[in-house]
Amino acid sequence: MSKIISFLFYAMIAILQSYAFSAKSQISLNSLLNEMVSYDAIAVFPTPYYRAAQVSSYDRRTVSPFLPGWFANNDGGGYVRLDTIGGRVEKVLFEENGPGVVTRIWLTTNDKRGVLRIYFDGNPYPEIEIPAYDTSAFPIDVGKALSLKHTHYDKDISKTGGTTLFLPLPYSKSCRITFEEPDYSVKLPRYYQVCYRQYKMDTSVRTFSLRELQSLHNKIAVTNNLLLAPKTFNHGIKSRFIVNSANDKPLTLPKGNRAIKSLLVSISGFSPEKYSELMDSIWIKIDFDGTECVCCSLSDFFSGGKGAPSMNSWYFSSDGKGSMLSRWVMPYKKTANIRLESHGTLNCKAAFTVYTDTFDRTENAMYFHARTHLEKNIPVNNDYDSNTNLDWNFTTINGRGVYCGDLLSLYNHCPDWYGEGDEKIWVDHDKFPSFMGTGLEDYYNCSWAPVVAFMTPFGGAPRADESSSHGQNAFLRTRNLDVIPFNNKFKFDMEMLSWHKGVVDYNVTAFWYGSIGH
């Protein structure tokens, strides 16, 4: 009976997804919630196409890498302009015209007093009014997964607090987000990031309303439950293998137009004190249709980097003892092979359980990729006005694809915070980054360094060994509605700024979908 129920559940999800992602379907809050909890959605290049971008409070002295101010760090003071609306002075944080969707609102400040308003389609009256610089005070409760409170959050409205809202806010014509300060003569840091999609003008989008949100109460509950307790695919063809990591023996999956839907690896036969070393030295490699697309250590692919801590998120689960699960969908046309490769002297046995299923391939279907690269002794600097600072490259990808997230596993040799720098993400033919950030911890959906360990469905900090941030650390961010499509090129740099000069060792694993040969 449980197998029948499981089959019916996945059949229902497939029907909902086929409707939600049809090019002829209207984009709405309902369809976006379907997309948010679909593992299949990001494996296909988006139709209708959208440009993904971010507006933030970054220091507006940052204009060009060839001009002074490229590393300017007053990132809590930027905004679009001041408007007078209904006799009120409101600071415009975000304004975009045309059909689109706000996919993420990240905020933090050290005094939350004021009023946040969101206007749609030129309406002079806000659809959403929040009595604080705090999306957790949203007028309707949208659940723990869609509305995150950061680890340093204080419930007192006059004190520090950071939040991230993942509830999608679609709009047909325009969206404007403002904040009314209680006293504009007092300069308070208002850090923010707004991620959004910009569609072509002929795209049909139904504008968000609180009334529709209320009508989707049950759907919101289901979405939260799925994000917090992901369903692991467990039907189709089940393949079981037990191998010795020293054999480097490829495991051949069922042939044909299929996709890996879930991948469980359990290792055994090792001393517990060698677990961390083993997870770093055993690499998983996956090739699709004859080309290697995944090349990472077990710790970097499954388990939050160095030390392989336990973690649980939308795409990954690991118990920190040797059992690891991936829920990424990995399509292939003809063949898929997996193998383990030992990069050290340690050995283990590994049991693989892989579920594959048929895949409805179109010309927009893509291949899953995961790659790791390491650099030691990268200089970090606390002279933010110097243009001699470093933009360190997380990853550069050529061709067409969709960027889905990254793991940063690092050792910080500095005495304290190393992540003062901002992300700079260049998409296709950008003259200025489409994503200009406000700090490394902000990018990873937290705030106010140093960071403590935490996890959410969208990633977090699997490891933070010392309260000062010295030593071993790890950050993970995976993307649902805030994925980044690109047609020609994707380039992700991070400013190497810190509180004190020093060096760090960075090990970055990037996750994306694209064509073979990226």
Side-chain angles (χ1 to χ4, degrees), residues 38-54:
S38 167
Y39 290 105
D40 289 341
I42 60 172
V44 179
F45 197 75
T47 304
Y49 177 75
Y50 59 85
R51 170 180 172 261
Q54 174 177 282

Side-chain angles (χ1 to χ4, degrees), residues 326-473:
S326 161
R327 288 179 282 266
W328 292 103
V329 169
M330 308 181 196
Y332 55 94
K333 291 181 180 179
K334 297 179 180 179
T335 63
N337 295 288
I338 305 174
R339 72 182 190 275
L340 293 184
E341 185 175 278
S342 178
H343 287 208
T345 59
L346 298 178
N347 194 21
C348 68
K349 289 192 179 297
F352 284 79
T353 303
V354 187
Y355 282 95
T356 61
D357 201 6
T358 55
F359 188 78
D360 186 15
R361 177 173 293 277
T362 68
E363 62 180 9
N364 285 329
M366 299 178 291
Y367 291 92
F368 176 78
H369 295 72
R371 294 278 180 176
T372 299
H373 78 282
L374 164 71
E375 184 174 343
K376 293 187 176 182
N377 297 317
I378 307 167
V380 290
N381 192 10
N382 61 353
D383 182 1
Y384 310 138
D385 293 326
S386 172
N387 259 35
T388 63
N389 293 318
L390 175 66
D391 283 326
W392 190 78
N393 184 238
F394 263 45
T395 190
T396 298
I397 307 166
N398 293 303
R400 189 176 80 155
V402 175
Y403 191 73
C404 302
D406 41 81
L407 167 73
L408 170 61
S409 179
L410 69 122
Y411 191 90
N412 176 28
H413 296 274
C414 302
D416 47 26
W417 182 239
Y418 56 89
E420 199 65 21
D422 309 334
E423 82 271 14
K424 296 170 178 174
I425 299 178
W426 308 75
V427 181
D428 293 335
H429 305 295
D430 276 349
K431 298 284 193 274
F432 187 83
S434 289
F435 291 74
M436 182 73 209
T438 57
L440 184 140
E441 77 273 41
D442 311 345
Y443 172 80
Y444 287 104
N445 290 309
C446 55
S447 55
W448 301 108
V451 171
V452 297
F454 73 99
M455 286 302 299
T456 76
F458 313 99
R463 185 168 179 179
D465 282 7
E466 299 182 28
S467 59
S468 65
S469 82
H470 175 265
Q472 202 69 46
N473 297 263

Side-chain angles (χ1 to χ4, degrees), residues 21 26 42 98 100 127 202 257 272 300 395 407 465 477 480 490:
F21 309 119
Q26 184 182 55
I42 60 172
E127 178 67 21
D202 61 352
N257 187 20
D300 288 327
T395 190
L407 167 73
D465 282 7
R477 178 172 175 182
N480 290 47
F490 176 91

Side-chain angles (χ1 to χ4, degrees), residues 154-334:
D154 192 309
K155 64 181 180 180
D156 189 326
I157 196 171
S158 68
K159 295 183 179 178
T160 297
T163 56
T164 308
L165 182 74
F166 283 102
L167 178 74
L169 304 176
Y171 49 92
S172 174
K173 297 177 182 178
S174 65
C175 179
R176 178 171 52 180
I177 302 175
T178 71
F179 186 69
E180 180 185 0
E181 297 279 3
D183 183 353
Y184 280 90
S185 67
V186 179
K187 301 298 182 184
L188 295 171
R190 303 297 187 193
Y191 297 94
Y192 71 89
Q193 298 178 1
V194 180
C195 296
Y196 67 100
R197 296 177 174 186
Q198 183 182 57
Y199 290 96
K200 293 181 179 179
M201 291 303 294
D202 61 352
T203 305
S204 177
V205 179
R206 185 162 73 240
T207 299
F208 174 91
S209 71
L210 289 175
R211 182 177 179 179
E212 182 181 19
L213 176 61
Q214 189 69 59
S215 73
L216 293 172
H217 173 78
N218 291 338
K219 186 67 167 281
I220 293 291
V222 169
T223 301
N224 272 277
N225 289 337
L226 285 172
L227 288 169
L228 293 169
K231 302 288 187 183
T232 301
F233 191 94
N234 60 0
H235 59 282
I237 297 180
K238 178 181 180 180
S239 300
R240 286 270 297 169
F241 308 93
I242 298 178
V243 298
N244 188 307
S245 59
N247 291 341
D248 191 22
K249 179 182 178 182
L251 312 175
T252 301
L253 297 179
K255 295 182 178 180
N257 187 20
R258 306 185 64 80
I260 296 173
K261 293 295 190 79
S262 65
L263 170 60
L264 173 67
V265 182
S266 296
I267 60 173
S268 60
F270 61 91
S271 300
E273 66 272 13
K274 297 292 186 180
Y275 169 72
S276 175
E277 182 183 351
L278 181 73
M279 290 287 285
D280 291 339
S281 64
I282 304 297
W283 284 52
I284 184 170
K285 297 189 174 184
I286 309 177
D287 68 72
F288 300 114
D289 297 327
T291 299
E292 184 179 273
C293 294
V294 174
C295 181
C296 310
S297 71
L298 291 177
S299 57
D300 288 327
F301 185 75
F302 287 104
S303 194
K306 190 79 172 179
S310 62
M311 57 176 290
N312 189 45
S313 65
W314 178 245
Y315 286 105
F316 296 111
S317 295
S318 174
D319 66 359
K321 300 176 182 178
S323 180
M324 302 153 278
L325 174 66
S326 161
R327 288 179 282 266
W328 292 103
V329 169
M330 308 181 196
Y332 55 94
K333 291 181 180 179
K334 297 179 180 179

Side-chain angles (χ1 to χ4, degrees), residues 102-159:
V102 171
T103 57
R104 171 182 175 264
I105 301 176
W106 172 94
L107 302 173
T108 198
T109 183
N110 55 12
D111 185 335
K112 301 187 287 292
R113 289 175 291 184
V115 182
L116 189 73
R117 296 182 176 92
I118 305 179
Y119 301 81
F120 295 107
D121 295 349
N123 193 327
Y125 301 101
E127 178 67 21
I128 301 166
E129 188 168 291
I130 299 173
Y133 199 76
D134 183 349
T135 57
S136 72
F138 201 81
I140 296 175
D141 181 17
V142 296
K144 186 177 180 180
L146 295 177
S147 181
L148 308 178
K149 291 181 180 177
H150 302 166
T151 51
H152 298 299
Y153 182 89
D154 192 309
K155 64 181 180 180
D156 189 326
I157 196 171
S158 68
K159 295 183 179 178

